[in-house]
Amino acid sequence: RDPLSVWSASLKKSKDPDVYSSLGTHFLNLSGKFGKAVRDSSLSEDQAKQIANAVWENDNRLQNMLLDWSQGKWGGAIEKEFQAHLSNLASEYFEKTIQVKGTRVLPHLYFRKGIILLNKGDLAGARKEFLATLEETSRYSVIDVRSEVRVATYNNLGMIAKKENNFREALTWYKKAEEEQTMAGRIWVNDISSTRMKLEETVAMLSGGPGADGKTNDPEVAYSLGLYYYNAAGRLGATPKGSWLPVEEAKQIANEVWKNNPQLSGLISELISGNRGGPVEITFKNYLLQLAWQAFEKAVQIKGNAVMSQLFFRRGMMLGEQGNLAEARKEFMTALDEASRDSTVNNRQEVIVISHDALGILAQISGDYIEALKWFNMADEEQVRFGKVWVADIKSKQQRMQSLIATQNSK
């Protein structure tokens, strides 16, 4: 009747590892079709209900999820729990495959385990499985399949390294993927060459020295590197934004951009000793902020007609933190103008809300509580209209402004 029926019935007749693996693969593929705000067009509503009834037959959450779907509500909290359940079922069957596979070579098995962990945000676990995939493929005899799995695995290892801001390692993996794909004479990852070229430009800019910002003509590369420096700087010093930047990550960045600086050894000594917020760390933090601004400036200079609302928002944040409120306001207004032309709905909505909130904060700092309330009210109304929350404390900000306005009026 369907793949689930086939493999479930097969499992009653055979304990062959391919049966466990195929059932796990089916659940993994299904998990990718749920949990989205817009229903996957490849899955009809009737099919979705059939799957839900089969998998959650005795689960008390089933009826509430079906009710959501009948009202056109897709990607809700219960559906995401169902998606996680499908993913967990896939993991269970993959583990059973490992238990019974013996000497069978199954490279897709470890690759799919890596995909599950990557989807969960477990980068270390995913890397382990992808490296196991490469080991498994080295013993696989079907050349086309071996090459395809290697290309996808190298690409995912590059993605992981990039997420961890290890750009040199990412470039190494992307080069391997491109070389393997070229050697096979096939195309499995369409954008591998463009990704590799962007990484080369990013690595070329990493030196942080004079002229480093001239080593790219891609505004996205310049913006991404600027954001990398800006976020790293925010997690340095005595009062970091959130948690402190881990020592090893701070050393990695320092060895990239400060390798010729005589203060490098002093910075590493401070970091290792746990003396966070020391004088050398503050100097390094300020240097990263300079690099971030240079990269953002480069992105503005070369972006042409590209819409980059996040770029101007980040510039506004930097200027606001420096106390340059007038220039920060200009950047936030520019961010709003850019957002109005952004074709990506989620990005457009987010930038509109956070820019209005930021304008409210600037007005509050300036002592114009009426204007601040106006901006906060706009951000609040937009969050309600868009159905998402980007500024969690907007209500308390509104109440604070109302209180301050009342105090001013009573004088």
Side-chain angles (χ1 to χ4, degrees), residues 54 65 71 73 76 79 85 102 104 119 128 131 189 192 209 250 291 296 310 328-329 335 351 362 365 387 397:
M65 184 170 70
Q71 297 173 349
K73 298 176 182 177
E79 184 180 337
H85 180 68
R104 187 81 64 86
N119 291 340
K128 181 180 177 182
L131 291 174
V189 181
I192 193 66
L291 293 182
F296 288 160
Q310 288 280 0
R329 191 177 192 281
V351 172
L362 293 182
I365 294 172
K397 289 175 179 174

Side-chain angles (χ1 to χ4, degrees), residues 12 18-19 37 50 77-78 83 95 97 102 105 163 181 199 206 212 224 229 250 258 266 283 288 312 337 354 375 377:
K12 297 175 183 178
D18 279 332
V19 178
Q50 287 173 6
I78 301 177
Q83 181 185 40
E95 288 302 321
T97 307
V105 180
K163 284 179 179 289
Q181 191 162 262
L199 258 296
L206 273 175
S224 296
Y229 291 137
W258 245 23
T283 301
L288 288 181
F312 293 97
D337 180 62
I354 60 179
W375 292 121
N377 285 343

Side-chain angles (χ1 to χ4, degrees), residues 98-228:
I98 291 174
Q99 293 169 17
V100 301
K101 87 181 190 73
T103 59
R104 187 81 64 86
V105 180
L106 300 172
H108 285 100
L109 170 62
Y110 297 97
F111 179 80
R112 287 166 181 148
K113 287 183 66 184
I115 291 296
I116 290 174
L117 294 171
L118 189 60
N119 291 340
K120 292 180 178 179
D122 183 355
L123 301 185
R127 179 189 287 106
K128 181 180 177 182
E129 297 299 339
F130 289 136
L131 291 174
T133 302
L134 294 176
E135 172 65 24
E136 194 82 348
T137 57
S138 69
R139 298 183 288 114
Y140 199 62
S141 59
V142 183
I143 296 175
D144 278 356
V145 174
R146 183 174 65 208
S147 293
E148 180 181 4
V149 174
R150 277 180 177 169
V151 169
T153 303
Y154 289 143
N155 186 65
N156 283 333
L157 285 166
M159 187 189 308
I160 290 171
K162 188 177 177 183
K163 284 179 179 289
E164 294 175 334
N165 297 318
N166 193 335
F167 301 114
R168 292 187 188 277
E169 181 186 335
L171 178 57
T172 298
W173 289 120
Y174 284 126
K175 281 183 175 180
K176 285 179 177 289
E178 185 179 25
E179 289 166 3
E180 183 78 31
Q181 191 162 262
T182 300
M183 189 166 55
R186 303 279 295 278
I187 296 178
W188 293 292
V189 181
N190 291 321
D191 62 348
I192 193 66
S193 295
S194 61
T195 302
R196 184 261 306 161
M197 287 188 286
K198 287 185 178 182
L199 258 296
E200 284 179 337
E201 292 182 355
T202 300
V203 169
M205 291 180 69
L206 273 175
S207 66
D213 63 344
K215 294 179 179 178
T216 183
N217 289 312
D218 189 325
E220 288 292 343
V221 169
Y223 169 67
S224 296
L225 194 57
L227 186 60
Y228 167 55

Side-chain angles (χ1 to χ4, degrees), residues 343-363:
S343 59
T344 305
V345 175
N346 286 340
N347 190 57
R348 179 174 69 245
Q349 292 177 346
E350 179 183 5
V351 172
I352 287 172
V353 170
I354 60 179
S355 294
H356 284 152
D357 176 67
L359 287 164
I361 293 172
L362 293 182

